[in-house]
Amino acid sequence: MTALLQALTLILLLGYPLAVYFGLQYLPGNLLALVIAALLLLRLMLQRQQVKALIAPLILGLALTIGSAIAKQQQWLLFYPLVINAAMLVLFAGSLWKTPCMVERLARITEPDLPDSARPYLRNVTRLWCGLFVINGSAALYTATCSSIQTWTLYNGFIAYLLIGTLAGGEWLYRHFWLTRS
């Protein structure tokens, strides 16, 4: 049951931009903020047994959504993608000061026998991810403060995922190809 709830909350949180877009248009008052807060609280309770580094963005998201409901400021809901990008930036950048770096840790999940010669490459890819989180976070901030809800939804609900998927897939393909040639 826990695995099912984790999968469900992950899918729902990935759809956060679409939920905000439709919720702001069709749900009364602060109901959207309260629904998202409940979802984040459930995810936080489930996450305690998983990756502890992801607890901070969940708590910040919970604070944003509860604050949004209390202050009746639905605009605050638009800042959650910024929180996620900032948390991921801290996580990835922080891993550059210790070994293994974040991309190496992730790569070793599927390829545990990576050669030591791959470490510099994986550190550079971690830096590349940091750059992407800076770009995505900047765009999330800009779209939350200076654009329409449609632009915010397009960027945070589609373009950001497209960029993340392109980097993740492209890097995996390159690493897979690169490792087989070394």
Side-chain angles (χ1 to χ4, degrees):
M1 183 68 162
T2 301
L4 178 64
L5 282 174
Q6 286 177 329
L8 181 62
T9 57
L10 177 63
I11 290 167
L12 291 172
L13 287 174
L14 287 174
Y16 181 89
L18 293 174
V20 169
Y21 176 77
F22 288 110
L24 289 177
Q25 293 183 30
Y26 300 111
L27 291 180
N30 293 318
L31 182 60
L32 175 64
L34 295 174
V35 168
I36 293 173
L39 179 64
L40 289 168
L41 183 59
L42 177 59
R43 184 70 184 177
L44 180 63
M45 291 184 325
L46 295 170
Q47 195 67 40
R48 293 181 70 191
Q49 297 133 357
Q50 301 294 318
V51 183
K52 293 188 190 300
L54 298 179
I55 291 175
L58 288 171
I59 291 172
L60 289 172
L62 195 55
L64 271 175
T65 55
I66 291 171
S68 171
I70 291 170
K72 297 183 176 151
Q73 296 292 321
Q74 293 179 336
Q75 176 80 13
W76 293 5
L77 297 175
L78 304 181
F79 290 95
Y80 190 59
L82 174 63
V83 167
I84 294 298
N85 279 286
M88 297 305 285
L89 175 61
V90 168
L91 185 64
F92 276 63
S95 77
L96 290 170
W97 280 276
K98 55 187 173 187
T99 55
C101 65
M102 184 56 67
V103 173
E104 182 178 346
R105 286 184 226 169
L106 295 172
R108 287 194 185 279
I109 292 171
T110 57
E111 300 170 45
D113 298 326
L114 285 170
D116 287 340
S117 61
R119 282 192 165 156
Y121 164 75
L122 296 170
R123 290 181 70 71
N124 285 333
V125 173
T126 301
R127 289 183 185 100
L128 184 61
W129 274 103
C130 290
L132 179 63
F133 293 132
V134 167
I135 291 167
N136 270 348
S138 299
L141 178 61
Y142 177 81
T143 59
T145 57
C146 301
S147 70
S148 68
I149 186 67
Q150 290 83 6
T151 302
W152 178 87
T153 304
L154 176 64
Y155 186 83
N156 293 289
F158 180 69
I159 295 171
Y161 290 142
L162 186 64
L163 292 172
I164 290 168
T166 300
L167 179 55
E171 190 282 322
W172 181 86
L173 286 172
Y174 181 79
R175 180 173 17 101
H176 192 71
F177 176 74
W178 179 71
L179 288 176
T180 58
R181 297 193 86 174
S182 344

